[in-house]
Amino acid sequence: MKKNSPKGCLIIIGGAEDKTEGCVILKEAAGMLGEQDILTVLTTATEKPEEIGRNYLSVFRSLGVANARILSIANRDEANSDEMSGKIKSSKCVFMTGGDQLRLTSILGGTWAGNELRSLYDTGGVIMGTSAGASVMSATMIVNGDDNEPAKKCTLKMAPGLGLVDGVIIDQHFDQRGRFGRLMCGVAENPDAIGIGIDEDTSVKLQPDMHFEVVGTNAVTVIDGTTIKSSNVSELRQNEILAITGVTVHVLPQGYGYDLLSRKVIRF
């Protein structure tokens, strides 16, 4: 991973974040926004945009975000409109809800709204995403794969993401849905990438210098493929079990972090 120019902040959430008690993760947005800054809840990923949007709007306002609004972009025509792209441009923070990550990429990819989302991050804004909204932040994203199963080549399907952060593969609902095997297979197929598996009610707060801290009640699993000694991933038949040696795995709760450039664990 190469060091990039200074950017904004990504808050990448593993899904099922607390919305009623301490709201530790969602409070991060309130702490990073000024009184006049706008937070936009982007509901493109979900098939229930009104319900999901209203729920998040209520939570963010209860946390002190005065200027919060819902943005429902349902198709590529809307994503290429001045109105929709202008709302992203005028935002300081965009929160992408859960749902289907392919809806996000297929609707926003290569559009004015998608370009404004990238520009917002590049110029110091905050991008948050939960569940599908987390997976889509990487350049290569997991679309599908078996839960609670050993790593098999046939179970993993990947596609281009929005590319807000390079050199990583992000998975969500990680421990709760038994996704270690599928993320390990993704890293075996892309050994230069860092696999980041984020548990529910847990997040990665990625800073402009490309280090992140873990925020939340569970853990983040980091899989570093550069240390792999060998694997059979190129030889696998579709239903064979992955064999891999030498891979480095870290499990990090709150109080820990990771530097994506040096590939080193940080303790705060």
Side-chain angles (χ1 to χ4, degrees):
M1 178 178 292
K2 296 180 180 179
K3 186 172 183 178
N4 297 316
S5 57
K7 297 181 179 179
C9 179
L10 298 180
I11 300 177
I12 311 171
I13 308 167
E17 68 281 355
D18 172 35
K19 304 178 190 68
T20 59
E21 300 296 332
C23 301
V24 172
I25 297 170
L26 298 182
K27 273 183 179 177
E28 294 289 328
M32 299 176 73
L33 299 178
E35 291 184 3
Q36 303 303 315
D37 290 333
I38 299 172
L39 182 150
T40 297
V41 178
L42 181 62
T43 60
T44 299
T46 179
E47 295 182 351
K48 299 178 180 179
E50 293 184 7
E51 176 185 345
I52 299 299
R54 284 197 304 269
N55 287 344
Y56 276 109
L57 197 64
S58 175
V59 173
F60 281 120
R61 286 177 174 169
S62 73
L63 295 174
V65 181
N67 293 315
R69 65 188 177 190
I70 301 169
L71 182 60
S72 298
I73 301 178
N75 54 61
R76 290 182 65 81
D77 285 339
E78 291 181 354
N80 276 314
S81 70
D82 288 333
E83 178 186 2
M84 298 297 187
S85 59
K87 286 184 176 180
I88 292 179
K89 186 175 183 178
S90 63
S91 303
K92 178 65 175 179
C93 175
V94 171
F95 178 90
M96 297 185 287
T97 70
D100 182 349
Q101 51 262 49
L102 278 178
R103 281 183 57 83
L104 278 163
T105 55
S106 63
I107 291 174
L108 297 181
T111 65
W112 295 352
N115 292 339
E116 288 296 347
L117 191 68
R118 181 59 192 247
S119 179
L120 173 62
Y121 176 48
D122 286 342
T123 55
V126 181
I127 309 293
M128 304 178 70
T130 185
S131 192
S135 289
V136 80
M137 291 196 191
S138 56
T140 302
M141 68 179 183
I142 294 176
V143 174
N144 199 8
D146 288 348
D147 296 344
N148 292 304
E149 289 289 338
K152 298 179 183 178
K153 195 174 185 179
C154 67
T155 66
L156 187 69
K157 295 181 181 178
M158 303 182 74
L162 293 179
L164 297 177
V165 55
D166 296 326
V168 302
I169 302 170
I170 298 166
D171 210 349
Q172 20 79 15
H173 301 281
F174 191 66
D175 184 64
Q176 290 73 20
R177 298 188 185 178
R179 290 178 167 174
F180 183 85
R182 75 180 201 177
L183 184 58
M184 183 66 77
C185 192
V187 172
E189 293 179 6
N190 302 271
D192 60 331
I194 297 171
I196 302 175
I198 309 174
D199 291 350
E200 293 178 357
D201 194 34
T202 308
S203 67
V204 159
K205 185 177 181 181
L206 182 63
Q207 301 289 357
D209 65 359
M210 304 308 289
H211 88 271
F212 70 72
E213 62 180 291
V214 178
V215 178
T217 59
N218 290 302
V220 172
T221 300
V222 176
I223 303 176
D224 183 357
T226 60
T227 62
I228 293 172
K229 298 297 184 183
S230 65
S231 80
N232 66 348
V233 71
S234 65
E235 307 161 9
L236 280 180
R237 295 178 182 176
Q238 291 298 296
N239 288 306
E240 287 182 318
I241 301 295
L242 174 70
I244 189 167
T245 66
V247 65
T248 300
V249 178
H250 308 286
V251 179
L252 309 174
Q254 185 163 304
Y256 287 79
Y258 192 79
D259 189 314
L260 294 177
L261 299 180
S262 65
R263 296 180 181 242
K264 292 182 178 179
V265 173
I266 303 166
R267 187 163 188 178
F268 296 101

